[in-house]
Amino acid sequence: MKKDNFKIAVFAGDGIGPEIMKEGLKILNVISEKKKIKLQIQEGLAGGCAYDKSGTPLPDASLKLAIKSDAVLLGAVGGPQWESLDYSVRPERALLGLRSNLGIYANLRPVVVFEELLNASPLKKSIVRGIDIMIVRELTGDVYFGKPRGVRKGKDGKRHGINTMAYSEDEIRRIAVRAFEIARTRKKNLTSVDKANILETMELWRDIVTQVGKKYPDVILKHMYVDNCALQLIRDPSQFDVIVTTNLFGDILSDEAAMLTGSIGMLPSASLGKKSALYEPIHGSAPDIAGKNIANPLAMILSVALMLRYSLSLPREAALIEKAVGETLKAGFRTKDIYQKNKKTVGTAEMGDAVAKNLRKLMI
Ligand code: NAD
């Protein structure tokens, strides 16, 4: 897609959502002004704020806006004031509605440890220094959706629980192609994680990923069992470039990998779909710190970078945003959650300003 005019749907959401979104948009404005591209940014309501206004967390107008856009940027949704609502209208339903209507099937979670934040990791610096991993998690299959499922009474009169691990060839092929394509834009090193030594579904997974790999001879493909991967992520995370895995294993491994960085306010995500893609920080709406100008906007800003890379075909500008974040940290700027001694504690808006200033300099 080579365009100079993009439609972006923006849902700031609840809690710290509006505060961090403001900083994400600051960065987008710098890109639009310096690169001379037109960004049609349209804001909509999703989450608790949408429920308060219209009685539903994802009004039709919001859904339409998301579907007709090139990409969707989301802050965060939810908060204690909506916790007693019926499940069907809880703010988090907005996420499910967006994901299913956009045909989302892949979740991308980059795990990058910035040199300046090595101390935040619970692991030794020598282990996490320089890690840059992309986890590609399949989102539509596996035990979360396989049938039969449920808890029922068996012949022994006792309750039995069942969930079914299920994958079709097409589902595996689709995510494998995506992961190989991503690996091609990075260090060309892909690890497919499964449990093919025990589970037939995973044998099929390995078979299809290997088949797809034949079309990508420039990418080195390695297969790894999930238990070994869990161990290797702690023992030697820098061996990984791109990891592709199933819904269940990806759910667990991506949270494990997130902890390598030690800071939830730094981690962006992308959810790619058939119709569009959704970009959001991995953290929630942090109601405990909302409205205080102390939330870390960097996960939101890094989500904007992912959007440029994967939906707007602007990889150079995406890398410049990431570089601007690195330089801002190097200059000593810290929000409260990543505070370090002898560094400058700044608020949400000041952090956004500092990144925008560095980005402007890099885009001269
Ligand atoms: P949370 O991620 O909102 O907060 C967990 C902790 O991390 C809190 O102490 C919070 O202050 C801190 N934190 C989170 N983001 C931060 C940031 N950018 N800067 C500094 N500190 C940050 O998780 P939670 O407290 O379990 O959930 C709060 C609400 O968010 C709930 O209603 C939950 O359902 C919702 N939620 C939404 C999403 C989403 O919108 N994608 C994801 C997870 C949780």
Side-chain angles (χ1 to χ4, degrees):
M1 184 199 344
K2 278 272 172 262
K3 297 205 301 185
D4 58 2
N5 186 342
F6 298 97
K7 285 198 189 91
I8 299 167
V10 166
F11 300 107
D14 311 313
I16 60 169
E19 293 166 69
I20 56 171
M21 184 61 80
K22 205 166 155 203
E23 305 316 307
L25 295 181
K26 232 178 231 176
I27 299 302
L28 261 185
N29 283 334
V30 175
I31 298 284
S32 144
E33 172 198 317
K34 290 276 181 186
K35 176 88 184 150
K36 302 202 174 14
I37 50 172
K38 206 165 158 204
L39 299 175
Q40 293 181 43
I41 296 170
Q42 250 187 294
E43 302 198 31
L45 290 177
C49 55
Y51 173 82
D52 287 348
K53 190 131 193 227
S54 60
T56 165
L58 187 62
D60 282 348
S62 298
L63 192 53
K64 278 191 194 135
L65 171 64
I67 290 173
K68 69 168 201 215
S69 301
D70 294 302
V72 179
L73 261 188
L74 187 114
V77 297
Q81 62 270 53
W82 299 289
E83 265 165 21
S84 57
L85 290 177
D86 184 75
Y87 185 68
S88 62
V89 288
R90 293 270 283 271
E92 292 78 3
R93 294 294 294 185
L95 295 174
L96 301 180
L98 282 171
R99 285 182 192 144
S100 64
N101 283 286
L102 298 178
I104 300 286
Y105 64 89
N107 181 244
L108 271 52
R109 283 237 203 138
V111 181
V112 176
V113 176
F114 287 90
E115 181 68 23
E116 294 69 28
L117 297 182
L118 280 176
N119 281 333
S121 174
L123 297 191
K124 283 187 204 139
K125 283 189 194 177
S126 59
I127 290 182
V128 289
R129 174 164 280 129
I131 68 165
D132 180 359
I133 308 172
M134 175 63 84
I135 301 193
V136 181
R137 168 187 169 195
E138 205 289 328
L139 282 182
T140 64
D142 212 342
V143 288
Y144 297 152
F145 300 100
K147 288 193 175 129
R149 62 183 299 155
V151 176
R152 53 198 73 148
K153 218 174 223 175
K155 285 188 184 137
D156 57 2
K158 299 196 171 137
R159 285 181 305 154
H160 292 246
I162 181 166
N163 288 96
T164 305
M165 178 176 273
Y167 264 114
S168 72
E169 280 194 33
D170 288 352
E171 281 171 327
I172 303 170
R173 192 166 292 112
R174 180 173 63 176
I175 193 81
V177 166
R178 202 84 210 209
F180 276 105
E181 292 288 340
I182 290 167
R184 251 189 187 164
T185 65
R186 296 171 47 103
K187 293 186 214 128
K188 300 187 170 53
N189 199 320
L190 177 66
T191 306
S192 170
V193 175
D194 61 39
K195 190 75 184 163
N197 50 340
I198 308 277
L199 302 164
E200 290 82 353
T201 312
M202 294 292 87
E203 266 181 52
L204 177 67
W205 175 279
R206 189 172 281 216
D207 186 36
I208 302 292
V209 174
T210 307
Q211 264 181 29
V212 173
K214 297 210 167 93
K215 296 202 179 107
Y216 296 84
D218 52 321
V219 176
I220 298 169
L221 170 66
K222 192 170 161 187
H223 298 281
M224 191 178 273
Y225 296 135
V226 62
D227 39 352
N228 186 25
C229 183
L231 182 155
Q232 295 297 337
L233 273 172
I234 304 296
R235 195 186 73 87
D236 177 21
S238 57
Q239 70 183 280
F240 296 107
D241 174 22
V242 181
I243 292 176
V244 63
T245 190
T246 66
N247 205 345
L248 174 65
F249 299 158
D251 191 357
I252 300 163
L253 293 176
S254 60
D255 271 15
E256 182 192 355
M259 263 323 285
L260 296 173
T261 72
S263 173
I264 195 169
M266 296 291 303
L267 297 170
S269 80
S271 298
L272 310 181
K274 286 184 269 187
K275 295 191 189 130
S276 187
L278 175 70
Y279 298 86
E280 57 178 329
I282 74 159
H283 59 71
S285 60
D288 53 329
I289 58 166
K292 297 183 178 162
N293 190 38
I294 56 173
N296 185 347
L298 295 180
M300 186 76 242
I301 289 173
L302 292 167
S303 301
V304 169
L306 290 183
M307 178 177 81
L308 297 192
R309 181 170 292 125
Y310 294 110
S311 284
L312 311 193
S313 299
L314 295 171
R316 187 178 160 270
E317 287 68 24
L320 289 179
I321 295 177
E322 287 155 356
K323 192 158 181 217
V325 167
E327 298 205 343
T328 306
L329 293 171
K330 206 180 281 169
F333 287 76
R334 298 286 185 275
T335 41
K336 213 172 152 199
D337 57 311
I338 51 172
Y339 169 75
Q340 286 165 312
K341 235 170 142 182
N342 305 324
K343 302 288 178 195
K344 209 180 307 175
T345 311
V346 293
T348 311
E350 292 75 17
M351 183 62 109
D353 286 341
V355 177
K357 195 169 158 200
N358 282 326
L359 181 61
R360 262 177 218 286
K361 277 195 222 152
L362 289 169
M363 289 191 76
I364 280 172

